[in-house]
């Protein structure tokens, strides 16, 4: 490990930061097959090495027997002309053949395969992105480090454990982001597992080094001092720890002279900050958003619940739905969120996913100032766009949306397919452009996004809800269903209660596809009203 110089009187570990990077479930399943192929190749290499050693072993055993007999009566042995000939032949020819066998490199096939497959391997950014996803899930779903380390997550099929090395790596990733709250949590977890006797290449000195500094950065000087002393018990010559010990003692001596009440106030503030673990990209509604993701949202009153119904919907006497009407369920009243059940078949889902998989790219958002598409840290998924003309299934889905909503889809955006993998999310946002974003959809020339239609194309084992923090609504993924809501009032004004988010996927895989319908073409399908908020 490389270490850097004294900063504000204290030495700290140095580590290089890497930007986060998202990997979709589709790509990760491909990696599983890649790794399986490499394991097969590795087994072939091992078998080749074993065959080679078996040949050498047999040759050695044969020569061992021969030389044992020869050394008992060397003169008599070489006095036999056949033995004399074979001795010359062995030393001149056969030992050279053995030398070639020993020197033969059996790893060529394995190394060649590994070199080819390496181009598909994740890089440092992918690894850091996966680590950040775990930290994100930890915060959103209120998971402690021990629960994650033991793999005790809801809905898991394949339980997995984190080693000391894994916990240490998570702590280091948090450290590079100056996230000392999570650094402390994961270094403490690594230390606990070491104390419990887990064998590891990571030693307690390294863990305590990061841990003591993380604790100091959060203002807990007493604990930082205690951890530094513990480190020095294990390694009395640790240069940085000795320097930090003197610095901590100096600071504590100064604090003793400070006003006690002011010191208590500071202590309270530090404790509050530490408990919150405030993220760098803090959202005003983060607490509400994360509560909704956990299913701890606002419960609708019985009076409001009585106004929610299930019904059969024929698309205003649309011929396609008269004999087989769609099943509708009211999810929320204001804004009105409607779920359509059994609205997309498994066969249609498979076709849409197959079309989208080769095109999946990091999802983008429209820059409200420039109108350009760009990636952002708060939208973590892979997406692809499908046009109706390229496949009859996509065209059929577009017409189904038009028939059931009564809105013209000819001015809508293409069907967007999104895959949310490990920790995949889209933090609270609006689908429509606000008044301070007049050029958001200018290039489309179809006006604002009047409504959103969202297909759920997979069930999710845990997490992955669509939540509306402004009103407290949580809509959970259910394969084969779709939800629909208006983003704009009939007056054309934006409905700010539709601010919503896609919660991180805790366990499983989330596939959705959405259709954003625009204002143009809806003039007679959804006439304007005189009231601004209707």
């Amino acid at each position: 490990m490389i270490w850097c110089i004294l900063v504000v009187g204290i030495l700290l570990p140095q580590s290089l930061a890497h930007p986060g990077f998202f990997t979709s479930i589709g790509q990760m399943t491909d990696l599983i097959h890649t790794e399986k192929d490499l394991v097969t190749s590795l087994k072939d290499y091992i078998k080749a090495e074993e065959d080679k050693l078996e040949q050498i072993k047999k040759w050695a055993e044969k020569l061992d027997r021969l030389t044992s007999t020869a050394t008992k009566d060397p003169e008599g042995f070489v006095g036999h002309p056949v033995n004399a000939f074979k001795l010359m032949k062995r030393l001149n020819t056969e030992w050279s053949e053995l030398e070639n066998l020993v020197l033969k490199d059996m790893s060529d096939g394995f190394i060649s395969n590994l070199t080819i497959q390496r181009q598909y391997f994740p890089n440092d950014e992918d690894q850091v992105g996966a680590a950040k996803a775990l930290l994100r899930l930890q915060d959103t779903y209120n998971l402690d480090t021990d629960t994650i380390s033991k793999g005790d997550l809801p809905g898991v099929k394949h339980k997995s454990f984190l080693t000391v090395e894994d916990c240490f790596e998570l702590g280091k990733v948090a450290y590079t982001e100056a996230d000392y709250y999570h650094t402390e949590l994961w270094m403490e977890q690594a230390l606990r597992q070491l104390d419990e006797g887990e064998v590891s290449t990571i030693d307690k000195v390294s863990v305590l080094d990061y841990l003591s500094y993380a604790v100091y950065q959060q203002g807990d000087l007493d604990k930082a001092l205690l951890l530094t002393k513990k480190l020095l018990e294990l390694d009395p010559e640790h240069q940085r720890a000795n320097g930090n010990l003197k610095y901590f003692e100096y600071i504590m001596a100064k604090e003793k002279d400070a006003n006690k009440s002011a010191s208590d106030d500071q202590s309270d503030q530090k404790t509050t900050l530490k408990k919150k673990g405030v993220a760098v990209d803090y959202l005003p509604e983060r607490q509400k958003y994360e509560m909704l993701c956990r299913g701890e949202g606002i419960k609708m009153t019985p009076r409001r619940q009585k106004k929610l119904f299930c019904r059969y919907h024929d698309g205003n006497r649309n011929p396609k739905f008269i004999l087989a009407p769609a099943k509708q369920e009211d999810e929320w009243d204001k804004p009105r969120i409607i779920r359509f059940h059994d609205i997309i078949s498994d066969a249609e889902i498979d076709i849409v996913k197959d079309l989208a998989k080769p095109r999946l790219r990091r999802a983008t958002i429209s820059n409200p100032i420039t109108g350009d598409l760009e990636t952002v840290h708060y939208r973590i998924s892979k997406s692809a766009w499908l046009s109706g003309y390229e496949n009859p299934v996509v065209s059929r889905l577009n017409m189904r949306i038009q028939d059931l909503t009564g809105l013209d889809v000819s001015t809508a955006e293409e069907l967007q397919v999104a895959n949310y993998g490990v920790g995949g999310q889209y933090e609270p946002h609006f689908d429509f452009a606000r008044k301070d974003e007049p050029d958001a959809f200018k290039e489309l020339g179809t006006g604002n996004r009047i409504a959103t239609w969202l297909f759920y194309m997979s069930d999710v084992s845990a997490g992955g809800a669509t939540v509306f923090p402004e009103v407290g609504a949580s809509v959970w993924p259910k394969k084969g269903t779709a939800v629909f809501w208006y983003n704009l009032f009939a007056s054309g004004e934006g409905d700010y209660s539709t601010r919503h988010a896609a919660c991180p996927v805790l366990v499983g895989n989330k596939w959705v596809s959405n259709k954003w319908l625009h204002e143009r073409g809806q003039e007679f399908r959804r006439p304007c009203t005189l009231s601004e908020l209707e």
Side-chain angles (χ1 to χ4, degrees):
M1 186 179 290
I2 304 169
W3 306 99
C4 71
I5 58 172
L6 189 72
V7 177
V8 292
I10 181 170
L11 287 166
L12 61 153
Q14 180 185 22
S15 192
L16 298 176
H18 300 282
F21 189 84
F22 174 79
T23 305
S24 74
I25 287 290
Q27 288 175 316
M28 293 177 75
T29 54
D30 290 342
L31 289 176
I32 292 292
H33 296 298
T34 297
E35 190 168 43
K36 176 63 178 175
D37 180 61
L38 284 173
V39 170
T40 302
S41 182
L42 180 61
K43 285 182 176 180
D44 291 341
Y45 162 64
I46 293 170
K47 179 68 167 57
E49 288 285 9
E50 288 175 342
D51 291 344
K52 171 182 162 181
L53 286 172
E54 187 63 28
Q55 291 181 56
I56 296 170
K57 184 179 177 182
K58 287 179 179 178
W59 209 86
E61 289 173 350
K62 182 184 73 171
L63 284 182
D64 185 45
R65 290 192 299 270
L66 188 64
T67 54
S68 293
T69 302
T71 52
K72 290 177 181 177
D73 182 11
E75 290 185 5
F77 186 84
V78 295
H80 194 298
V82 172
N83 287 338
F85 164 74
K86 293 187 72 172
L87 177 62
M88 296 301 107
K89 178 176 175 289
R90 279 198 306 274
L91 292 174
N92 183 54
T93 304
E94 293 181 16
W95 275 98
S96 295
E97 291 174 355
L98 179 64
E99 181 183 13
N100 291 335
L101 178 62
V102 171
L103 292 174
K104 186 177 180 181
D105 189 353
M106 312 302 291
S107 67
D108 286 349
F110 171 67
I111 295 300
S112 176
N113 190 20
L114 182 62
T115 303
I116 292 170
Q117 299 288 9
R118 194 182 298 279
Q119 62 183 310
Y120 306 113
F121 281 15
N123 56 24
D124 288 343
E125 288 179 328
D126 296 316
Q127 182 175 330
V128 170
K132 287 181 178 179
L134 265 180
L135 301 182
R136 188 160 56 247
L137 293 172
Q138 180 182 5
D139 289 345
T140 303
Y141 296 104
N142 269 351
L143 301 171
D144 60 64
T145 53
D146 196 54
T147 297
I148 299 175
S149 182
K150 291 178 178 177
D152 293 330
L153 303 177
V156 293
K157 293 180 182 178
H158 310 286
K159 195 170 181 179
S160 185
F161 302 88
L162 292 177
T163 63
V164 169
E165 288 87 352
D166 296 331
C167 297
F168 185 73
E169 177 64 26
L170 286 169
K172 281 175 63 180
V173 168
Y175 179 88
T176 61
E177 300 293 311
D179 178 3
Y180 301 113
Y181 170 74
H182 287 106
T183 303
E184 178 184 2
L185 293 180
W186 284 103
M187 291 301 172
E188 284 185 337
Q189 180 63 32
L191 197 60
R192 271 195 299 273
Q193 291 180 205
L194 284 171
D195 289 338
E196 290 168 2
E198 183 177 325
V199 178
S200 172
T201 56
I202 304 296
D203 57 37
K204 290 184 179 181
V205 170
S206 299
V207 176
L208 287 167
D209 197 7
Y210 278 97
L211 181 56
S212 59
Y213 184 75
V215 168
Y216 162 75
Q217 282 287 10
Q218 293 180 91
D220 194 341
L221 196 57
D222 290 333
K223 186 175 179 181
L225 182 62
L226 184 67
L227 291 168
T228 303
K229 288 180 177 178
K230 190 174 180 179
L231 189 162
L232 288 170
E233 288 176 7
L234 298 172
D235 184 4
E237 304 302 318
H238 199 285
Q239 184 178 356
R240 185 171 44 263
N242 277 299
N244 290 346
L245 179 66
K246 294 176 182 178
Y247 178 74
F248 293 154
E249 289 174 340
Y250 168 73
I251 294 296
M252 290 187 75
K254 287 185 67 176
E255 283 190 354
K256 285 182 180 179
D257 299 330
N259 185 283
K260 189 175 184 303
S261 62
S263 177
D264 290 341
D265 289 343
Q266 288 177 6
S267 177
D268 291 342
Q269 289 173 7
K270 289 163 192 168
T271 303
T272 303
L273 179 64
K274 188 175 170 184
K275 285 181 180 177
K276 283 182 181 177
V278 180
V280 175
D281 57 333
Y282 183 76
L283 284 168
E285 71 266 61
R286 181 176 295 280
Q287 186 176 3
K288 188 185 293 185
Y289 154 59
E290 292 181 347
M291 285 180 64
L292 290 170
C293 290
R294 296 192 294 268
E296 302 170 1
I298 301 167
K299 303 302 178 184
M300 194 178 282
T301 63
R303 178 177 292 184
R304 288 176 65 187
Q305 283 181 335
K306 287 179 181 179
K307 296 179 181 178
L308 303 182
F309 295 96
C310 292
R311 68 186 69 81
Y312 286 104
H313 179 64
D314 62 9
N316 295 321
R317 305 294 294 170
N318 187 295
K320 297 176 186 175
F321 294 100
I322 290 177
L323 294 180
K327 290 179 279 188
Q328 263 190 6
E329 177 187 1
D330 292 331
E331 286 279 354
W332 205 258
D333 54 355
K334 292 182 180 180
R336 191 180 183 208
I337 305 170
I338 300 171
R339 188 192 292 265
F340 290 85
H341 289 269
D342 302 320
I343 206 62
I344 181 172
S345 69
D346 288 352
E348 289 171 327
I349 288 172
D350 289 341
I351 290 171
V352 169
K353 286 166 65 175
D354 288 342
L355 288 170
K357 282 178 182 177
R359 311 183 201 176
L360 287 175
R361 298 291 183 271
R362 174 73 184 265
T364 58
I365 62 110
S366 177
N367 186 301
I369 307 300
T370 64
D372 295 335
L373 296 176
E374 58 187 24
T375 59
V376 287
H377 68 277
Y378 55 82
R379 186 179 191 185
I380 304 176
S381 65
K382 289 284 179 103
S383 67
W385 299 85
L386 304 180
S387 299
Y389 64 80
E390 61 185 292
N391 190 281
V393 169
V394 179
S395 178
R396 188 163 68 239
L397 292 175
N398 288 341
M399 289 310 301
R400 192 174 301 162
I401 294 170
Q402 178 168 300
D403 293 338
L404 291 171
T405 63
L407 298 175
D408 185 355
V409 297
S410 66
T411 59
E413 295 174 50
E414 294 178 341
L415 188 71
Q416 181 182 221
V417 182
N419 178 217
Y420 294 83
V422 179
Q425 65 168 6
Y426 191 176
E427 288 186 349
H429 62 281
F430 297 102
D431 280 351
F432 65 92
R434 274 75 67 210
K435 290 181 178 179
D436 58 349
E437 305 168 340
D439 297 331
F441 306 116
K442 186 176 181 180
E443 288 187 6
L444 297 177
T446 53
N448 212 341
R449 288 174 176 166
I450 192 172
T452 297
W453 177 284
L454 179 66
F455 284 115
Y456 290 114
M457 302 197 302
S458 67
D459 292 313
V460 181
S461 300
T466 305
V467 299
F468 295 74
E470 295 294 317
V471 296
S474 296
V475 180
W476 297 91
K478 184 180 179 183
K479 187 178 181 181
T481 70
V483 291
F484 172 79
W485 67 86
Y486 280 104
N487 297 305
L488 307 179
F489 293 111
S491 64
E493 291 296 320
D495 184 352
Y496 285 78
S497 67
T498 61
R499 183 171 170 82
H500 60 285
C503 295
V505 175
L506 178 57
V507 177
N509 182 16
K510 180 182 176 184
W511 283 90
V512 298
S513 57
N514 64 277
K515 194 79 172 174
W516 283 309
L517 299 108
H518 284 248
E519 291 177 293
R520 298 294 178 266
Q522 322 303 345
E523 292 83 357
F524 298 105
R525 293 172 180 261
R526 194 192 189 214
C528 291
T529 60
L530 297 176
S531 175
E532 185 176 319
L533 300 179
E534 286 184 7

